[in-house]
């Protein structure tokens, strides 16, 4: 081998058609199998399709497609295998931050755009004893300094493709590029790797094998296309930077608004007790009602816990409603329906000399469940008969929230919502633009009671 031209490249388990495409790019090429013995110092680079890209001697640079194992990673004197063992269902992937624009374009075209939505494995290193035990695992970002990531998948930034020195402890370590099996552009990748090694290891890679891909020797038509491609890669890298920054800003804004909603109007869907009463109060006031919290009044006047709220409307000065608000981790309780029609209404009549115009039983049921999948609150209208008799209605906080949102977005007016609430008997249905009924509202027992 002393007279064989460099670079001398071993092609391990490489398909014949790929070998035929790649062999002309190097000085010396030979095909081998994963189990074939070699003398590493006779060779410069290993291009391998084998599952184990760490079994060959460290004197070889490696370009790997589809490996599941790489060389040992060291923490102090302890070595641990770098392997693809973390399973993820995260969809898609991104070029890792910090990848140079020319390489980013290659990574995007040949790897990222070919990632399927199927389950996949990503790189990890598990240290175990004698360090922090079996949970001392690195599988995100740069694997705690073990590599330069080329492709990340998932928000966790699992490593799907990487570049690293095979053994950083060596004075002049050989290099490894580890790409997934579905990677396309094998010729482009070999040209890229040879170009990098020509600078990194010029004794073994003395010439530039990629001259046909450079503008220097290109005829004018080819040079024009090459410049256009180079310009596009630069533009893409700049656009990607802008996109990532905008995505980060929007993610932060979403998180901020989620916190605002969780402490505000979303309490209609998540809270019970005083928090739910406060959320109902805020929503009704936003709709234009006048709302009084009655705890202080009853503590001073009656010494009893009666209705939670009294609601009035400047559009109808004679109208006033008593409101009981309850949240339930499970379904709303039928026995609670008549609470608002009993003592609260009797005390109101004694104070005002007339019964209340209406009574509302406002319920947030199954509050730990996705609002879209919650069953109707008290589905039978027969069970709401005490409300019907008192010219009152059951109000589901889901409907109250949706009505509040409709008003906020201009779908309906606050006046329309207030009118529908004042007129509601048995079960309130929020008004929907262009419809006399709300098809999304939970249906009651159509044969018993009256819906408004």
């Amino acid at each position: 081998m002393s007279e064989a031209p460099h670079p001398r490249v071993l092609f391990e388990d490489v398909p014949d058609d790929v070998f035929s495409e790649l062999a002309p790019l190097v000085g010396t090429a030979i095909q081998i199998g994963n189990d074939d013995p070699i003398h590493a110092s006779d060779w410069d680079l290993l291009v391998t399709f084998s599952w184990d890209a760490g079994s060959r001697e460290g004197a070889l640079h490696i370009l790997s497609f589809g490996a599941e194992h790489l060389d040992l990673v060291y923490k102090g004197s302890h070595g641990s295998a770098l392997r693809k063992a973390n399973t993820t269902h995260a969809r898609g992937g991104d070029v890792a931050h910090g990848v140079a624009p020319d390489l980013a374009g290659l990574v995007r075209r040949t790897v990222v755009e070919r990632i399927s939505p199927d389950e996949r494995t990503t790189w990890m290193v598990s240290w175990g004893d004698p360090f922090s035990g079996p949970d001392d695992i690195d599988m995100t970002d740069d694997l705690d300094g073990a590599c330069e990531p080329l492709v990340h998948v998932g928000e966790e930034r699992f490593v799907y493709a990487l570049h690293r020195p095979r053994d950083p402890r060596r004075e002049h370590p050989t290099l490894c590029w580890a790409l997934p099996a579905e990677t396309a552009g094998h010729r482009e990748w070999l040209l890229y790797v040879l170009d990098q090694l020509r600078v990194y290891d010029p004794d073994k890679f003395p010439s530039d094998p990629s001259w046909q891909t450079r503008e220097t020797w290109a005829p004018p038509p080819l040079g024009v296309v090459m410049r256009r491609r180079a310009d596009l890669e630069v533009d893409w890298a700049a656009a990607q930077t802008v996109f990532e920054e905008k995505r980060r800003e929007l993610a932060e804004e979403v998180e901020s608004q989620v916190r605002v909603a969780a402490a505000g109007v979303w309490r209609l869907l998540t809270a019970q007790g005083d928090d739910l009463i406060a959320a109902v109060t805020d929503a009704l006031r936003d709709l234009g009602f006048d709302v009084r919290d009655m705890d202080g009044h009853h503590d001073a006047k009656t010494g009893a816990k009666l209705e939670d709220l009294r609601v009035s409307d400047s559009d109808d000065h004679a109208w006033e409603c008593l409101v009981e608000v309850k949240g339930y981790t499970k379904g709303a309780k039928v026995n609670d329906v008549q609470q608002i029609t009993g003592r609260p209404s009797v005390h109101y009549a004694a104070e005002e000399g007339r019964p209340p115009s209406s009574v509302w039983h406002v319920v947030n049921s199954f509050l730990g469940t996705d609002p879209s999948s919650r069953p109707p609150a008290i589905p039978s209208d027969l069970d709401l008969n005490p409300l019907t008799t008192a010219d009152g209605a059951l109000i589901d906080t889901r409907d109250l929230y949706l009505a509040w949102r409709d008003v906020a977005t201009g779908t309906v007016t606050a006046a329309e919502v207030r009118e529908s609430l004042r007129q509601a008997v048995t079960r309130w249905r929020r008004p929907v633009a262009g419809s006399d009924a709300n098809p999304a509202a939970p249906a009651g027992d159509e044969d018993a009671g009256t819906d408004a």
Side-chain angles (χ1 to χ4, degrees):
M1 290 294 295
S2 60
E3 297 181 358
H6 293 282
R8 303 166 180 174
V9 181
L10 292 166
F11 291 88
E12 180 182 58
D13 292 344
V14 175
D16 290 342
D17 59 330
V18 178
F19 175 76
S20 298
E21 180 183 25
L22 302 186
L25 301 176
V26 302
T28 303
I30 187 172
Q31 283 183 293
I32 61 171
N34 180 251
D35 297 326
D36 292 344
I38 63 166
H39 187 66
S41 63
D42 289 339
W43 301 94
D44 306 320
L45 172 67
L46 175 70
V47 177
T48 178
F49 278 54
S50 170
W51 69 275
D52 186 358
S55 60
R56 299 297 186 180
E57 295 178 49
L60 288 167
H61 300 286
I62 288 180
L63 171 59
S64 166
F65 298 97
E68 301 291 328
H69 284 256
L70 297 177
D71 297 279
L72 294 181
V73 177
Y74 290 91
K75 184 180 287 189
S77 61
H78 181 70
S80 180
L82 187 59
R83 57 199 177 96
K84 263 190 171 179
N86 173 54
T87 301
T88 179
H89 291 86
R91 300 173 67 89
D94 294 298
V95 178
H97 296 303
V99 176
D102 58 338
L103 178 56
L106 177 61
V107 171
R108 185 178 62 257
R109 291 194 310 273
T110 62
V111 182
V112 173
E113 293 179 1
R114 295 179 61 86
I115 296 177
S116 74
D118 301 327
E119 175 184 282
R120 65 184 61 82
T121 55
T122 61
W123 293 102
M124 61 174 284
V125 57
S126 178
W127 297 104
D129 292 332
F131 295 93
S132 301
D135 292 331
D136 189 7
I137 297 173
D138 295 312
M139 55 189 178
T140 61
D141 293 313
D142 64 353
L143 306 181
D144 196 23
C147 73
E148 296 177 9
L150 300 177
V151 176
H152 282 135
V153 296
E155 292 185 0
E156 300 85 352
R157 297 166 65 85
F158 296 127
V159 179
Y160 195 51
L162 60 86
H163 168 240
R164 69 181 300 268
R166 292 192 64 190
D167 185 353
R169 302 174 304 172
R170 295 166 61 108
E171 181 179 356
H172 192 61
T174 51
L175 304 181
C176 172
W177 288 262
L179 306 167
E182 67 266 33
T183 302
H186 302 107
R187 184 176 188 276
E188 284 187 87
W189 272 105
L190 180 56
L191 287 171
Y192 171 80
V193 168
L194 292 173
D195 192 40
Q196 297 298 303
L197 292 174
R198 182 178 63 85
V199 177
Y200 183 80
D201 199 352
D203 290 339
K204 294 181 179 180
F205 299 85
S207 61
D208 181 2
S210 60
W211 65 269
Q212 293 179 347
T213 67
R214 295 181 178 274
E215 188 181 344
T216 305
W217 295 101
L222 177 58
V224 170
V225 176
M226 287 180 171
R227 284 193 298 275
R228 288 170 56 195
R229 184 177 67 178
D231 290 343
L232 180 63
E233 295 296 348
V234 172
D235 291 344
W236 179 273
Q240 190 175 39
T241 299
V242 173
F243 173 83
E244 291 295 340
E245 177 63 21
K246 187 64 176 177
R247 182 165 65 175
R248 182 191 63 78
E249 290 176 357
L250 288 173
E252 292 177 353
E253 189 174 345
V254 166
E255 290 180 5
S256 175
Q257 289 300 320
V258 164
R259 290 192 294 269
V260 171
V265 70
W266 270 358
R267 291 177 299 169
L268 287 171
L269 308 173
T270 61
Q272 57 185 341
D274 290 343
D275 280 347
L276 181 60
I277 293 171
V280 171
T281 299
D282 290 343
L284 293 175
R285 284 175 176 165
D286 286 347
L287 293 173
F289 284 112
D290 296 319
V291 184
R292 294 171 58 198
D293 187 315
M294 297 305 296
D295 281 350
H297 171 82
H298 289 309
D299 287 344
K301 296 287 186 180
T302 66
K305 293 293 185 182
L306 300 173
E307 76 272 17
D308 293 313
L309 306 171
R310 284 188 190 178
V311 177
S312 57
D313 188 353
S314 59
D315 287 348
D316 186 347
H317 295 286
W319 182 88
E320 190 167 35
C321 177
L322 308 188
V323 182
E324 181 73 12
V325 180
K326 288 193 177 292
Y328 303 89
T329 56
K330 296 182 180 180
K333 297 178 180 179
V334 172
N335 289 340
D336 288 345
V337 170
Q338 59 190 353
Q339 288 184 9
I340 192 63
T341 62
R343 292 178 63 211
S345 294
V346 171
H347 277 274
Y348 180 89
E351 281 186 4
E352 302 295 332
R354 59 182 177 86
S357 305
S358 181
V359 291
W360 293 343
H361 186 50
V362 181
V363 297
N364 180 25
S365 60
F366 297 98
L367 58 86
T369 306
D370 179 349
S372 300
S373 61
R374 297 177 188 179
I378 311 180
S380 173
D381 286 356
L382 282 174
D383 293 326
L384 303 180
N385 190 57
L387 296 175
T388 305
T389 302
D391 290 329
L394 177 81
I395 298 175
D396 190 316
T397 57
R398 289 179 299 173
D399 287 327
L400 185 57
Y401 167 76
L402 291 173
W404 174 90
R405 193 180 67 176
D406 288 344
V407 171
T409 58
T411 304
V412 297
T413 67
E416 290 175 309
V417 175
R418 293 199 307 275
E419 173 69 16
S420 71
L421 283 163
R422 292 198 310 269
Q423 300 300 324
V425 177
T426 305
R427 189 186 305 271
W428 176 61
R429 311 278 186 175
R430 89 182 200 276
V432 177
S435 173
D436 293 333
N438 176 15
D445 186 343
E446 296 181 357
D447 293 330
T450 303
D451 290 346

